[in-house]
Amino acid sequence: MVVCGDDGLAHRLAAELRGVYGEQVTLVVPPSGRRVRQPVVGRARAASAALFDRVSAAVNRAGTGGVAEPAATEQVVEAAELTEAVLTEVGADRAAALALVYDDDETNIRAALTARRINPRLRLVLRLYNRRLGQHIEELLDQTAAVASGTGPDGGGSRLDASTTVLSDADTAAPALAATALVGTSKVVQTEGLVLRAVERQPPGPGEVADPGLCTLALLSATSNDPAGADGSESSGEHGPQLLPDEMAVASATGRGTVVLEQVSYSGPSLSSGRGGGVPPFASLFSRRLRWSLAGLVGCVLALAVAFIFVTGEHPLYATYVTLLDLFGINDPAYHESTGRQVLQLLSGLVGLLLLPVLLAAVLEALGTFRSASTLRKPPRGLGGHVVLLGLGKIGTRVLTRLRELHIPVVCVESDPEARGMATARRLRVPVVLGDVTQEGVLEAAKIHRAHALLALTSADTTNLEASLYARSVRPDLRVVLRLYDDDFATAVYRTMRAAHPFALTRSRSVSHLAAPAFAGAMMGRQILGAIPVERRVLLFAEVEVAGHPQLEGRTVAEAFRAGAWRVLALNTAPPGGRRDEGETVGEEGAPASGLVWDLPPTYVLGAGDRVVLAATRRGLAELLGRRRRERAGA
């Protein structure tokens, strides 16, 4: 495996491939002067990686007559630019997969085109922020590989082992970050019409019965009454989060929250938020004060028209018409009329003088509203219960879009007027406060004292921590979510903040930690549907073919379940896949139409032609579908 990148995702991905999947990895990074610091992923994970190497070596010796295969290693190559010579030097012509995870889309595309020319059969995984461009690049590279290998335009391969996969760390992490900031918000994995919805539930109170949903995906850490508990770190021990527990573990877990699978369904393409940069609503054209002024003038006109009727006895329509003429000063003076008529004419002229500046203000304000649709808005005066989002980079922009799709009020804070997410904030008409979040008064301008949650998503850990601590000093019970890079640092921050504020919710997330499992799964040649965070751990959803996996093939759904490793959730009957006809009757809702059967009976036997959607831990997926293990079995 070859991993090329210039930020923390490359290091995290290389560690994932080596420590979890046991792969030989070559890591290509910029020279030392331009290299970012490597992530500290915790002593427990380093120990588990060493244990994995020892176990792999023992298995290799047993399977090869005592001759051990070389242990999984990581070779680091420094290169200022990823040229064809560099790709050839690191073995792209004979590698199984190549991941291009540079922060710049153009760099990844240029290197992917070069690598595809060097090795048409190379499995490529690209990190691209531009989703539409990514779809076109994926189709182009797959078509190039198909033509070069002589398998036709379709490439001759299945969708589950595509030669090119385009992913975005921002798209992978944004739903998890958005859901973390909101109490009771479902965690949704949605890809190609498949929707998996999970929700975090608090432990039931006295006399209450917990709703298990379709199945329990995880038990949360037992830190509700423990200020020193860790937020799901790898070293959190028996009291940390437990992924894919069995029924006995769920029954014995008292006082612990759960992550429950609520729904597995199939739907069409997702709709856009629809609140983009169109024409503003009529009510937003004029301020409340101006609307009251216009209403008062209308009331004056009606009062004058009624008075005209009583004075002259004319018809109401005629009285209104004459009043308007007097109002706009286009009628003849009432020289020979009664005193009441003359007084009404003078009052109408006075109201007309008042009407002119109001009409002018209305026109100017309407023009200003249309103009401000392309500028930044300020937080409304009475805003409350909103989410304060710090940072409008790649991650912050995707999280902002996700929050607005959920119709959550947001106020953004950004120091760079030219940041990537500024255009998105203008389009969505989201208030933005320009300024350094570490300076006094910036968070106050974002109404932090009335906010529901703080999302600190800048690229600097210290900035996120400083902003969170200051926000807690303003409002001690504020829900805080920090983007922190290192696991050990995140654990220390969580314990300290929980000890200082035991009744406030504190969560920390790492974008590279959330995204690395999906990138690693794609490099292994499988379709990773998505991932949901369970504190600082990750639960993966994958679609796999049952054929070739003895842990699944010929077993019932109940027998195929392995606690802490994997669990079958649904059966995909849509073509391709060779699904047997008798499976059409399994389930009650829409299986033939959608191709997805989610309510499988525990006694259903998985056949070689089945495709299943399963939830798995990182190590469980590596154990179930490890490439090196399958190759040894085939040999």
Side-chain angles (χ1 to χ4, degrees), residues 56-106:
S56 298
V59 172
N60 293 337
R61 285 193 298 268
T64 57
V67 180
E69 293 183 2
T73 59
E74 179 179 305
Q75 177 186 3
V76 179
V77 177
E78 294 186 355
E81 186 177 355
L82 200 61
T83 61
E84 182 174 353
V86 173
L87 289 173
T88 303
E89 178 186 351
V90 299
D93 55 337
R94 59 185 184 277
L98 168 67
L100 300 168
V101 292
Y102 288 94
D103 189 58
D104 180 52
D105 287 3
E106 183 179 351

Side-chain angles (χ1 to χ4, degrees), residues 135 138-139 142 158-162 164-167 188-196 265-270 526-530 543 572 574-576 593-596 611 613:
Q135 294 176 356
E138 186 173 339
E139 294 174 0
D142 279 344
S158 67
R159 186 177 63 88
L160 304 181
D161 196 10
T164 306
T165 304
V166 176
L167 298 173
V188 180
V189 173
Q190 182 171 357
T191 174
E192 299 181 2
L194 181 62
V195 180
L196 301 103
S265 60
Y266 193 92
S267 65
S270 59
R526 291 175 301 279
Q527 180 68 24
I528 301 297
L529 302 178
E543 184 178 0
N572 193 346
S594 66
L596 191 70
R611 286 184 297 143
V613 177

Side-chain angles (χ1 to χ4, degrees), residues 281-310:
F282 178 78
S284 65
L285 292 177
F286 310 109
S287 63
R288 179 179 300 180
R289 182 178 301 177
L290 186 57
R291 293 198 299 268
W292 278 109
S293 300
L294 291 174
L297 288 175
V298 172
C300 291
V301 172
L302 294 178
L304 290 173
V306 172
F308 189 89
I309 294 174
F310 280 106

Side-chain angles (χ1 to χ4, degrees), residues 4 48 71 76-77 175 246 249 268 277 308 357 431 438 455 465 507 550 612 625:
C4 307
S48 63
V76 179
V77 177
D246 54 19
F308 189 89
T438 60
L455 269 174
L465 178 59
R507 295 291 182 265
V612 294
L625 306 170

Side-chain angles (χ1 to χ4, degrees), residues 55 226 273 398 508 575:
V55 173
D226 181 14
S273 58
R398 290 287 194 253
S508 62

Side-chain angles (χ1 to χ4, degrees), residues 507-521:
R507 295 291 182 265
S508 62
R509 298 291 180 262
S510 168
V511 173
S512 60
H513 181 77
L514 293 172
F519 280 80

Side-chain angles (χ1 to χ4, degrees), residues 106-195:
E106 183 179 351
T107 302
N108 294 327
I109 294 173
R110 184 186 299 113
L113 296 175
T114 304
R116 178 61 75 215
R117 186 175 65 253
I118 296 175
N119 186 357
R121 296 185 177 276
L122 178 66
R123 185 179 301 118
L124 291 175
V125 178
L126 279 73
R127 171 190 182 184
L128 295 183
Y129 182 78
N130 191 327
R131 287 176 284 191
R132 179 174 299 180
L133 176 61
Q135 294 176 356
H136 296 313
I137 291 296
E138 186 173 339
E139 294 174 0
L140 174 64
L141 293 175
D142 279 344
Q143 184 176 0
T144 303
V147 172
S149 59
T151 56
D154 295 333
S158 67
R159 186 177 63 88
L160 304 181
D161 196 10
S163 59
T164 306
T165 304
V166 176
L167 298 173
S168 168
D169 58 334
D171 289 334
T172 304
L177 292 170
T180 306
L182 305 170
V183 178
T185 298
S186 298
K187 303 175 181 180
V188 180
V189 173
Q190 182 171 357
T191 174
E192 299 181 2
L194 181 62
V195 180

